[in-house]
Amino acid sequence: MVLEDFSLERKAIINPGDFNSEIPGIPKVAISCYSFVTFERMLDRFDSYEQIRELMIANTTIPIYLAKRNGMEYVLFNCDVGAPMAVGCAEDIYQLGVDTIIIFGTCGVLDSDIDDCAIIIPDKAVRDEGTSWHYAPPADEIEVNVTCKNDSLAVQSIKNTFIALLEEMRIPYTKGKTWTTDAIYREIYDKMEKRKTAGCICVDMECSALAAAAQFRGKNMFTFFYAADNLDTDEWDSRSLSNFDKVEEKDVIAELSIKLADRIIAK
């Protein structure tokens, strides 16, 4: 199979360094999400922010911000959607000098018992997209939210830090496997049932690819979801999938990502 033609060769024909150079002194932790509404509202949670770079994409640009709050500094960016674009963004952010990316966004649930906007922490992902196969050896699944960078973060994983934060704040959460696919109109019922049998509790578009890219580069990537549409029904239920639904609840989720970044930076 073409996708099984994996190589460990680090130097490609085109590389992140061909487009972006490292920014001296850049914060080592970046926060991102996919929703443009949540991202714009999240910016207002910081004492100040300024654009320090701009990622160039064929049909748009993605501003990169340096933000400050309570004496701490962060990198912020609104990630593009889908495995290829999300990995491209992550590669560029790592190239700038960031070591750890915290990214959150919606997922569809395969278990109707998971409430709308509930927190989900993936621990494995089914690789039903193409990008991850260029970053990791052939396998149906990949572990996600593992500490990759060999520094102080290895003492205590980011995932455990996030779980401790949630438990302190008495926010319920679910851990489990996600099904990553970038063909949203081919999430057919038969395939969904197979994924549920394999242990998947949700479906997303980027997780497996982001995990593979981070592990390949020796960087940290922490992904968490907030539940949106429900696929575990006879008729699809969009629930709060829209950017404009339940924005206050999503503001709280954005704040969680900042608090997690605070704990990582403070280590």
Side-chain angles (χ1 to χ4, degrees), residues 250-262:
K250 295 171 184 177
D251 288 345
V252 174
I253 295 165
E255 180 65 24
L256 285 175
S257 71
I258 303 171
K259 289 183 180 296
L260 174 59
D262 288 344

Side-chain angles (χ1 to χ4, degrees), residues 120-248:
I120 297 175
I121 305 172
D123 52 19
K124 291 185 179 180
V126 173
R127 298 167 62 187
D128 195 9
E129 39 69 40
T131 307
S132 69
W133 295 79
H134 300 278
Y135 286 88
D140 290 340
E141 299 179 1
I142 188 169
E143 285 193 79
V144 303
N145 289 334
V146 294
T147 302
C148 299
K149 188 170 175 58
N150 186 23
D151 60 11
S152 60
L153 290 178
V155 176
Q156 181 181 17
S157 73
I158 299 171
K159 179 170 66 177
N160 289 341
T161 301
F162 187 58
I163 289 172
L165 173 64
L166 294 174
E167 291 178 348
E168 287 174 21
M169 298 179 68
R170 298 183 179 180
I171 296 175
Y173 62 92
T174 303
K175 293 189 293 183
K177 187 187 302 183
T178 187
W179 164 28
T180 303
T181 175
D182 45 16
I184 59 174
Y185 292 131
R186 295 301 298 156
E187 295 172 4
I188 59 178
Y189 283 99
D190 178 63
K191 186 175 286 189
M192 179 185 71
E193 291 301 327
K194 291 178 181 177
R195 299 294 179 259
K196 288 170 64 176
T197 300
C200 294
I201 61 171
C202 60
V203 58
D204 79 290
M205 297 178 65
E206 302 88 9
C207 185
S208 60
L210 288 173
Q215 291 168 31
F216 184 81
R217 297 299 184 190
K219 301 288 188 176
N220 289 323
M221 174 68 65
F222 183 75
T223 298
F224 72 95
F225 306 125
Y226 51 96
D229 53 324
N230 181 15
L231 283 70
D232 188 26
T233 58
D234 292 333
E235 295 291 334
W236 175 65
D237 181 4
S238 63
R239 299 204 301 191
S240 66
L241 181 61
S242 168
N243 277 311
F244 300 97
D245 288 337
K246 297 189 175 181
V247 291
E248 289 83 8

Side-chain angles (χ1 to χ4, degrees), residues 23 25-32 39 42-53 63-78 93 96-102 104 165 254-267:
I23 299 176
I26 191 172
K28 298 303 181 182
V29 178
I31 304 170
S32 184
F39 184 79
M42 183 170 64
L43 287 176
D44 292 334
R45 292 181 169 270
F46 293 89
D47 298 331
S48 65
Y49 60 88
E50 62 175 328
Q51 184 174 329
I52 56 173
R53 190 66 64 89
I64 309 302
Y65 297 99
L66 172 66
K68 298 180 180 182
R69 191 173 87 162
N70 298 330
M72 294 188 177
E73 294 186 338
Y74 323 74
V75 173
L76 306 177
F77 69 102
N78 193 187
I93 295 298
L96 297 181
V98 169
D99 287 335
T100 299
I101 297 175
I102 299 166
F104 64 97
L165 173 64
E255 180 65 24
L256 285 175
S257 71
I258 303 171
K259 289 183 180 296
L260 174 59
D262 288 344
R263 296 196 174 192
I264 295 171
I265 294 169
K267 286 184 178 180

